[in-house]
Amino acid sequence: MLEPVKKIRLYESIVKQIQKLILSGELQPGDRLPPERMLAEQLNVSRTAIREALRSLEMMGFLESKVGVGGGTYVKKITINNILSPFSQILLQNDDFIVELLEVRLFLEIEVARLAAIRRDEEDLKKIHEAIEEMETAIRRGETGLLGDNAFHKALAVATSNTVLQQLLLLCGNLLELEREEHLSSSKTESKKALIQHKKLAHAIEQGNDKQAQTIMRDHIHDISKTIKSNRANRAQQLAGGPDEETE
Amino acid sequence: MLEPVKKIRLYESIVKQIQKLILSGELQPGDRLPPERMLAEQLNVSRTAIREALRSLEMMGFLESKVGVGGGTYVKKITINNILSPFSQILLQNDDFIVELLEVRLFLEIEVARLAAIRRDEEDLKKIHEAIEEMETAIRRGETGLLGDNAFHKALAVATSNTVLQQLLLLCGNLLELEREEHLSSSKTESKKALIQHKKLAHAIEQGNDKQAQTIMRDHIHDISKTIKSNRANRAQQLAGGPDEETE
DNA sequence: TTGTCATAATGGTCATACCAAAAGCACTAC
DNA sequence: GTAGTGCTTTTGGTATGACCATTATGACAA
C-alpha cells in the first residue's frame, strides 16, 4: 500500500535537525547556537525559516533566546516536567483527569515507598529528615507546610534511584498542586496528620521495611485523595447540584 | 526581593492567548482558526508574529495546518502522548532511561492487570480477544506479532477505565518500541511465549481474578524486561567491552 | 572613579512580494 | 453524460529588506 508523500516544511526540517544535534550530544545545555543571520547563511534559507524553527524550539522548552551583545540562542536542559508544564492547565480541564491522576499517583507513591525503603542511602535519609523538619517548622508557624510536603515526596522519589519515576511523581505533584494545597489548608489537623504520616514513613524507610512503608503510604495518599475528591464533589455540588456519589 | 521584569514577546503573547482559548473550551479539537492574514489584522500585529506563534503551537502539538482552499490552521486533540512523542528520542539517549522505564512499566502494567480484571466489560473482553487473534495470525504467518502485542496491551489499558494510565502506558510502549520489537524478533519462541502469556492474562481478567492477573503480568513483563536488558548488555559489550552484571 | 555617550551585536517586528498547494468551476472533447 | 484540462481563488510557505529594541563594552569627560 502506497502512502501519501508528505512534503516537509523548512521550519519543520530545521526543528528536527536541531533536535538531532541536541540528541546526539553535539549540543549540550548551555551551548550557544550561531546567530540567526549566520544560521540562515549556513543552511541556505531565509532568516524567516530560521526564526520560525527557533521560536518553535523555544516555546517547546529546548532553547532560550537573549537580545543584545552576548545575546543569542542557548540550549536548555530538558526534563519531562519542563516539557509538560505548559500543558498542565489543559490536562486539568478534563473533569475525570484529577480523579484518574489521583488513582495513578496512589500506586506510583506506593511503589516509591517500597523502592525508597530498599534503596535509600544516608544522604537520602538526611534529605527526608530535613523535609520533615521544614514541614514541622512551617506548621508551627501556622503555615500549611506545602513546601515541606513537596520536599518530602521529592526526597522519597530521589531515594528510589529511578529518575523516570522521579519525573513522573514531580509531574503528578505539580498537576495536583492546587488540590494538595487546599487539602493541607483545610485545617491544621490535616497538616499535622500528614506530618505524622511522614514521620512514620521516614521511620519505616530508615528501617528498610518496605512492606510497612507501602502500607503507610497507601493510607497517607488515600487520605489525601479522599479529601480532594470530597472537595471536588462539594465544589461541583455548589455549581450544579450534585454529582452521583462515587462508590469507593 | 524584586524580580527582573521580563518583557513579553509578541509571539509568546499570541501563543499564550491561543492556549487560553483552547483551555477555556472556546476552541475545540477540529476548530479552524481564522486565516493568518486575518488574525494579523484582528490582533493588529504583522503576519510574521502570527506565523511564529502558530508554528510554535503546531510543533508543540496543539495545532495543525493545511495549505490551499479549505486549508488553514486547525486545533488538534491534546494527549500526553502527542506532547511527549517529539521528545522521546531525546529521553532515550540517557543510558539509564530504558532500564528505569522498564522498571516503571513493570509496576504500571501490573496495576493495569489488576484494574482490568476488576473493571473490564464485555466490550473490553472482545477487544482483548481480537488482539490475541491478531497476534496469533501474525505469528502463524511468520511475523513478530508486534501489532497484536500493541493492541493487546492497549485493550488492557482501556479496560482500566483510567485514561491517564492509558496515556502513560501508551507512552511507555512507544518509548520501548524498538526494544520490544527486538524482543519479539529474537526468536519465534519469544513471540509464542508472549502469546501464551496473553491468553493466560485474558483468562484471568475474564474471570475477574485480579490477583492471578497481577502474577501473570509480573512474569510476562519481567520476561520481556530481562531480554531487553540482556540485549542492551550484549550490545554495550560489543561496543565497549562489557558492563558490570546487574544483580536482579 | 563615576557617569555619559556611542558603537556594535543580536534578537524582535514589520511590510512586501512571490511561490506552492488545493478545491471548485467552467469549458471542451469524446 | 462523463472525463480531462485549464483557470481562479484561497490559504499557508518562503524570501527579502528595513528598521527597532536591548544589551554589553569601550572611550571620553568631569
Side-chain angles (χ1 to χ4, degrees):
Chain A
M1 187 59 166
L2 300 184
E3 297 218 336
V5 176
K6 186 174 179 187
K7 176 152 188 180
I8 190 139
R9 285 77 178 258
L10 282 185
Y11 59 87
E12 254 185 89
S13 174
I14 296 163
V15 166
K16 286 182 171 25
Q17 280 188 59
I18 292 173
Q19 279 181 327
K20 197 168 179 180
L21 289 178
I22 294 173
L23 164 63
S24 68
E26 282 189 48
L27 285 178
Q28 295 280 339
D31 284 359
R32 181 172 170 278
L33 296 194
E36 293 178 356
R37 291 169 178 94
M38 193 178 297
L39 273 177
E41 271 186 52
Q42 287 175 9
L43 298 186
N44 201 29
V45 296
S46 73
R47 193 175 150 213
T48 304
I50 297 292
R51 283 192 59 82
E52 289 182 7
L54 295 187
R55 298 297 75 76
S56 297
L57 287 163
E58 187 174 352
M59 299 307 298
M60 284 161 90
F62 285 87
L63 305 177
E64 64 188 342
S65 63
K66 292 172 189 166
V67 175
V69 174
T73 306
Y74 295 83
V75 180
K76 285 172 70 176
K77 186 172 163 58
I78 307 297
T79 63
I80 292 179
N81 196 58
N82 285 353
I83 293 157
L84 281 186
S85 60
F87 302 90
S88 54
Q89 287 297 315
I90 293 179
L91 296 174
L92 286 173
Q93 277 295 101
N94 172 11
D95 279 346
D96 292 336
F97 186 78
I98 295 285
V99 175
E100 292 175 357
L101 188 59
L102 286 169
E103 186 175 57
V104 171
R105 188 180 178 228
L106 177 61
F107 60 79
L108 286 180
E109 289 276 12
I110 290 169
E111 191 64 17
V112 163
R114 183 179 76 84
L115 290 175
I118 294 168
R119 295 179 183 170
R120 92 284 182 279
D121 61 23
E122 291 305 316
E123 184 63 27
D124 295 325
L125 291 174
K126 189 177 160 215
K127 291 265 173 59
I128 288 166
H129 286 292
E130 280 171 7
I132 288 171
E133 278 175 38
E134 185 184 345
M135 191 174 175
E136 195 158 34
T137 302
I139 290 172
R140 207 179 290 128
R141 285 212 205 98
E143 295 160 17
T144 61
L146 183 66
L147 292 186
D149 188 71
N150 286 343
F152 178 77
H153 285 283
K154 181 179 176 185
L156 289 202
V158 169
T160 67
S161 296
N162 181 321
T163 59
V164 171
L165 192 49
Q166 281 174 54
Q167 296 284 345
L168 282 179
L169 261 299
L170 187 58
L171 176 61
C172 287
N174 285 348
L175 289 173
L176 292 169
E177 186 159 51
L178 287 184
E179 274 80 8
R180 287 172 52 239
E181 182 161 21
E182 191 174 17
H183 166 71
L184 293 177
S185 302
S186 55
S187 75
K188 199 145 185 172
T189 307
E190 293 296 342
S191 289
K192 282 185 174 171
K193 195 169 163 190
L195 183 63
I196 288 165
Q197 282 169 331
H198 285 190
K199 285 178 177 177
K200 283 186 186 170
L201 260 175
H203 182 71
I205 285 163
E206 191 158 9
Q207 301 296 314
N209 190 339
D210 59 304
K211 295 293 182 187
Q212 192 168 14
Q214 286 181 71
T215 301
I216 297 165
M217 183 64 96
R218 182 179 287 115
D219 291 343
H220 175 48
I221 300 295
H222 201 81
D223 284 347
I224 300 173
S225 300
K226 200 169 157 193
T227 310
I228 290 173
K229 283 184 200 167
S230 172
N231 289 343
R232 286 177 61 84
N234 290 341
R235 213 177 300 147
Q237 198 162 22
Q238 286 171 31
L239 288 179
D244 292 337
E245 201 59 34
E246 282 196 325
T247 57
E248 188 152 13
Chain B
M1 188 61 169
L2 300 183
E3 296 218 336
V5 176
K6 186 175 179 186
K7 178 155 188 178
I8 190 135
R9 287 76 177 256
L10 282 183
Y11 59 86
E12 256 186 270
S13 174
I14 296 163
V15 166
K16 285 181 171 24
Q17 280 187 58
I18 292 173
Q19 280 182 326
K20 197 168 177 180
L21 289 177
I22 293 173
L23 163 64
S24 69
E26 283 190 49
L27 284 178
Q28 296 279 340
D31 283 0
R32 181 173 173 278
L33 297 194
E36 293 178 355
R37 291 169 180 92
M38 194 179 295
L39 273 177
E41 272 187 49
Q42 288 176 9
L43 297 186
N44 203 29
V45 295
S46 74
R47 194 176 148 214
T48 305
I50 298 292
R51 281 193 59 81
E52 288 182 7
L54 295 186
R55 296 297 73 75
S56 297
L57 287 163
E58 188 176 350
M59 299 306 300
M60 283 163 92
F62 284 88
L63 306 176
E64 65 189 343
S65 64
K66 291 169 189 169
V67 176
V69 173
T73 306
Y74 295 83
V75 179
K76 285 173 70 175
K77 185 169 161 62
I78 306 298
T79 62
I80 292 178
N81 195 57
N82 285 352
I83 293 158
L84 281 185
S85 59
F87 302 91
S88 54
Q89 288 298 316
I90 293 180
L91 296 173
L92 285 172
Q93 276 296 101
N94 171 10
D95 279 345
D96 291 337
F97 185 79
I98 294 286
V99 174
E100 291 174 355
L101 188 59
L102 286 169
E103 186 175 57
V104 171
R105 188 179 177 228
L106 176 62
F107 60 79
L108 286 180
E109 289 276 13
I110 289 169
E111 191 64 18
V112 164
R114 182 179 74 87
L115 291 175
I118 294 169
R119 296 181 182 166
R120 90 287 181 280
D121 62 24
E122 292 306 315
E123 185 63 29
D124 294 325
L125 290 174
K126 189 177 160 213
K127 291 265 170 62
I128 287 166
H129 285 292
E130 280 171 8
I132 287 172
E133 279 173 38
E134 186 184 345
M135 191 174 175
E136 194 157 36
T137 301
I139 290 172
R140 206 179 290 130
R141 286 211 203 99
E143 294 159 18
T144 62
L146 184 66
L147 293 185
D149 188 69
N150 286 344
F152 179 76
H153 285 282
K154 182 177 174 185
L156 289 204
V158 169
T160 67
S161 296
N162 182 320
T163 58
V164 171
L165 190 50
Q166 282 174 54
Q167 295 287 344
L168 281 179
L169 261 299
L170 187 59
L171 177 63
C172 287
N174 285 347
L175 289 172
L176 292 169
E177 188 161 49
L178 287 184
E179 275 80 7
R180 288 172 51 240
E181 182 162 22
E182 193 175 15
H183 164 74
L184 292 176
S185 302
S186 56
S187 74
K188 200 143 187 174
T189 306
E190 292 297 340
S191 288
K192 283 184 174 173
K193 194 168 162 192
L195 183 62
I196 289 166
Q197 281 169 333
H198 286 188
K199 285 179 177 175
K200 283 187 186 170
L201 261 176
H203 182 71
I205 285 163
E206 192 158 9
Q207 301 297 312
N209 191 338
D210 58 304
K211 296 291 182 188
Q212 190 168 15
Q214 286 182 72
T215 301
I216 297 164
M217 182 63 94
R218 182 179 288 116
D219 291 343
H220 176 46
I221 299 295
H222 200 81
D223 284 347
I224 300 173
S225 300
K226 201 169 154 192
T227 309
I228 289 171
K229 283 183 201 167
S230 170
N231 288 343
R232 288 176 61 85
N234 289 340
R235 211 177 300 148
Q237 198 162 19
Q238 287 171 30
L239 288 181
D244 291 337
E245 200 59 37
E246 282 195 325
T247 56
E248 192 154 13

